[in-house]
Amino acid sequence: MALVERLLVTHRAQMLAIARSMLGDAHDAEDAVQRASLLAWRKAAQLRDTGAALAWLATITRRVCLQIGRERPDWDLLSEPPGGDAPTTWALDPALQVAAADLLARLRAAFAALPEQARLVWRLKFEENLPNPEIAARTGLTRGAVGSQVYRARTALRRATTG
């Protein structure tokens, strides 16, 4: 567990930058990092390559932020965060701020570039937490087509955020 603690301390600023860029609020970002840290502690056994720790923690942080976003009725991935730009007193490395903003911009652009049906399926799946059969019923797609839409969207978003 000392390894996870060291990784959380080392990468906290990056986790906070991701959360701040996604949620737009310093307090929500702190909450997200706390939740992500607890989740990382619980899932420590899943980390196989410590060289990929930042990517692993970033994924956990993004998922927690998406969950928090789903809990907020006014939150939309494509809109600017409710808090606007990060305040100038935000005490993070400016390079991290730029990297987080760039990552979010690429994610938003990739999402906007998806076909309308893929965006709808994605929102139903990950914002409304609907199972594939219910998404199929709402959209008129087959269950297999829903799974394909999710896979293609996930692949496109992953490519945009890792490239």
Side-chain angles (χ1 to χ4, degrees), residues 6-7 14 19-20 74 93 110 120 127 143 145 153 158:
R6 190 175 74 242
L7 293 172
Q14 290 95 329
R20 179 70 168 96
D74 63 332
D93 180 345
L120 173 62
E127 289 182 21
R143 290 180 190 181
R158 184 176 293 128

Side-chain angles (χ1 to χ4, degrees), residues 95-119:
L96 293 176
Q97 291 179 22
V98 170
D102 177 63
L103 177 65
L104 186 58
R106 286 186 285 141
L107 181 61
R108 285 180 176 151
F111 188 79
L114 291 173
E116 184 177 342
Q117 190 171 49
R119 289 193 309 268

Side-chain angles (χ1 to χ4, degrees), residues 121-132:
V121 168
W122 185 268
R123 287 178 189 270
L124 292 172
K125 178 79 173 173
F126 296 104
E127 289 182 21
E128 295 187 27
N129 288 326
L130 297 179
N132 287 7

Side-chain angles (χ1 to χ4, degrees), residues 24 35 38 48-49 52 66-67 69 75 79 81-82 88 103 111 113 125 127 132 140 158 160:
R35 285 170 60 174
L38 288 173
R48 307 259 188 260
D49 177 11
L66 288 171
Q67 180 61 41
W75 190 74
S79 67
T88 56
L103 177 65
F111 188 79
K125 178 79 173 173
E127 289 182 21
N132 287 7
R158 184 176 293 128

